[in-house]
Amino acid sequence: MKRMAMRFGLSPAFVFVFVGLASATLLTACGSGPQEGAGTAPAVASIAPADRLIPAQVEQWADETFEKILAEHRVSGLAIAVTQGEEVILSKGYGYADWASQAPVDPDTSRFRIGSLSKTFLSTAVAQLLERGQIESLDDPANKYLERIQLESPFGKDITVWDLLTHRGGLGTFPTFRPEDDPLPVPPLPADYLAANTPDAVREPGTISIYCNPCSATLGFMVEDITGQTLEDVFRENIYEPLGMTHTTLTNAPGPGPNVATQYAFVPDGLPVALPYPAISPYISYAGDVNSTAGDMAKWLIAHIQEGAGAGSAIMSPETFQLMHTRHVGNHPDMSGFGMNFFTYDYNGERVREHYGSIRYRSMEFMMLDKKIGVFVTMAGGGEPNAALLEAADTTLAHTSGPVEPALSHSGVRALVLEHFLGSLPFQSDLEVDLGKYTGFYRSIPASADAPSGGRGRAVEDSGDGGLVIGGLGVYRPSGPDTFTLDGPLPLEAGFRDSNKYVFAFGPEGLARMFAHVNAGGLERGRD
C-alpha cells in the first residue's frame, strides 16, 4: 500500500482509514522471517473460578504492603491499579500528592511520571499504523518513513523499525535530563534540531538489545512524519480518547502540569524536602514523558490484556495486539525478550508482558496474559535528600519522625508483585555445579561493540554453600542450565539492575555474559 504522509499544518487533522487485517496478512506485513518464539496466540478465554481475584483480599494485600513501604522507605506518594479481565479490582492512592498541602493521592486525578512506560504507548501507535497500512512492514528500514532525519549506520546494514522497537538500533546514548539552559523547541521538533542531536550508530543494528532511549524517540519522530500530527495528538485521538483516559498526557514540558504529584525525600526525624521535577531532554521526551493516573492506567491494562476482545473500545484488532505481545527477539532464551517494546517473559508458566520506568519517579506495568491480571504501581519520592536540596528546603514544613530506609527501585517492587500474584521462582538447592565457571567481576555490556565494558559492575562470588553471591546479594541457587535464582525475597531497595534470577552465557576467549531475568543489555566478564 502506498504510504500516505501529510506535511505539518497543510490540512485538517488526518483521518485514518481502518483496515481489518487477518492474522496471516499482519504477519506478512511484519516480515517474511520467522519470529523468535512466535506462534498462534490463544484466544481470549473466560477466567477460571480458581484464578479469580477477590477485591477485598487484593486491597488487604495492597494496604499491608504499600502502607509499610510508605512508613519505612518514606515514599511520599504512591498509587496502584489492579485489573482482571474487564474489571477494575483495585484503584487506590497512598500518601500525599503534595506533602506541603497534605493533599492525598487520588487514583483518578493525581498524575505521576510513568517514564519509560511511555514506550508502550509509542509502540501501540506504531502497531496501529501497521494495521492501517501506513507502515508496510516492520522489517522496512526506518528511513523509509522518516522525513526530518535519516539514520546513518556505518555497518552496511539498515536500521529497521523492528530494530528500534526492540532496542537493537545500535544508536549511541543521549543524556536523559535537560540542562536548564538548553533550548526548548516546541513539537514537532525541527529537522535541524533532530539532525544535531541524533546519536551515531555505534553497534551493528539487529545484533543485541541494549536499552536505547534514542531508538524509541526516533519511533516518535517517525509516527509524526507518517501522520503529519504531533505524537501527543496521535496518542489523544487513537489511544486516550477511545479508552477514556482523560488524565493522561505526553507533556514535552520542563515543569509539572496540573495535578502532578510532587516528590519528597525525608530527613530522619526531620524535614520533608521537595525534590525537583525531572525534566527530560526534548530529544528523548517521546521515550519517557507521559504522565498518567492509576485510574487511566487501569483502562490501559484492560485494553492490552483483553487484546481487542470484550465490551471495551478496541483500539486495534486482536491479531495486532498479539503481535505486540509476541516475543520477537531476546539476548538469551531464558531471559526476557521483546515484542513491540514490551518486555516478554514467562514467570512460573504465566505469560507476562511488562515495562518499567524510572525518572526518579518509579513506575511499573504488568500484564499477566493467561490469568488476565494487570497491575500498575507508581511511586514518588522516598529516601533521604542530598545536602544541596537540604540547604534549600522549606523549613516551615512539619517535621516527621522515625528512620528512613533507602529509596526503592523497580526491581524489588517487581519481585514483590510477581511473587504475590504468581508465586516465588523455584530453584534446586541440591544441584551440584562448578561455581568457579561463573565467578569474577562483570561490567555492563557497552553500547559500542569495540568499547571497553563500562559501569561500576558487580562481583559474582562463591557463597560457600553451593550457590553464588551476586553484587552482594544472595544466595543464588542453581535453577537450570547456567541459571541461578535468589533463595529468598529480593530486597525492596535492590539496585536498578538487580534481579531475583540470572542466566549466564559463554563465548570465546573466556568471555562470559550475565543477564538479569528482566532487562535489556547485560554484564560481561573477560574484556578490558
Side-chain angles (χ1 to χ4, degrees), residues 188-201:
L189 302 178
D192 58 349
Y193 178 87
L194 296 183
N197 285 279
T198 300
D200 295 332

Side-chain angles (χ1 to χ4, degrees), residues 98 262-266 271-277 385 389-390 392-394 397:
D98 181 36
T262 302
Q263 302 188 98
Y264 285 80
F266 296 86
L271 278 174
V273 178
L275 301 177
Y277 179 83
L389 291 173
L390 189 57
D394 180 357
L397 295 181

Side-chain angles (χ1 to χ4, degrees), residues 41-63:
V44 175
S46 60
I47 304 166
D51 292 331
R52 291 185 183 275
L53 298 178
I54 299 174
Q57 293 180 354
V58 173
E59 185 169 18
Q60 180 181 359
W61 164 76
D63 288 349

Side-chain angles (χ1 to χ4, degrees), residues 7 56 110 159 186 239 255 266 289 374 391 396 400-401 406 430 443 516:
R7 296 287 183 180
S110 297
I159 299 172
V186 176
I239 298 174
F266 296 86
D289 228 351
E391 291 177 2
T396 66
T400 62
S401 60
D430 59 346
R443 295 186 182 276

Side-chain angles (χ1 to χ4, degrees), residues 57-69 94:
Q57 293 180 354
V58 173
E59 185 169 18
Q60 180 181 359
W61 164 76
D63 288 349
E64 293 173 354
T65 298
F66 295 110
E67 286 175 358
K68 183 178 180 181
I69 284 175
Y94 298 86

Side-chain angles (χ1 to χ4, degrees), residues 52-96:
R52 291 185 183 275
L53 298 178
I54 299 174
Q57 293 180 354
V58 173
E59 185 169 18
Q60 180 181 359
W61 164 76
D63 288 349
E64 293 173 354
T65 298
F66 295 110
E67 286 175 358
K68 183 178 180 181
I69 284 175
L70 261 70
E72 294 180 356
H73 295 269
R74 310 296 285 280
V75 171
S76 55
L78 183 149
I80 180 173
V82 180
T83 67
Q84 188 169 38
E86 295 183 89
E87 180 182 0
V88 178
I89 302 296
L90 176 68
S91 181
K92 191 167 184 177
Y94 298 86
Y96 296 111

Side-chain angles (χ1 to χ4, degrees), residues 87-147:
E87 180 182 0
V88 178
I89 302 296
L90 176 68
S91 181
K92 191 167 184 177
Y94 298 86
Y96 296 111
D98 181 36
W99 192 272
S101 67
Q102 301 285 284
V105 171
D106 185 317
D108 293 320
T109 61
S110 297
R111 291 176 172 172
F112 287 77
R113 304 279 274 151
I114 67 170
S116 287
L117 274 64
S118 307
K119 293 177 173 66
T120 60
F121 285 78
L122 182 52
S123 59
T124 298
V126 171
Q128 289 173 328
L129 294 176
L130 176 70
E131 181 170 286
R132 297 163 190 170
Q134 293 174 270
I135 295 175
E136 295 175 5
S137 171
L138 299 181
D139 285 329
D140 282 342
N143 284 340
K144 179 176 179 180
Y145 304 101
L146 287 165
E147 295 182 352

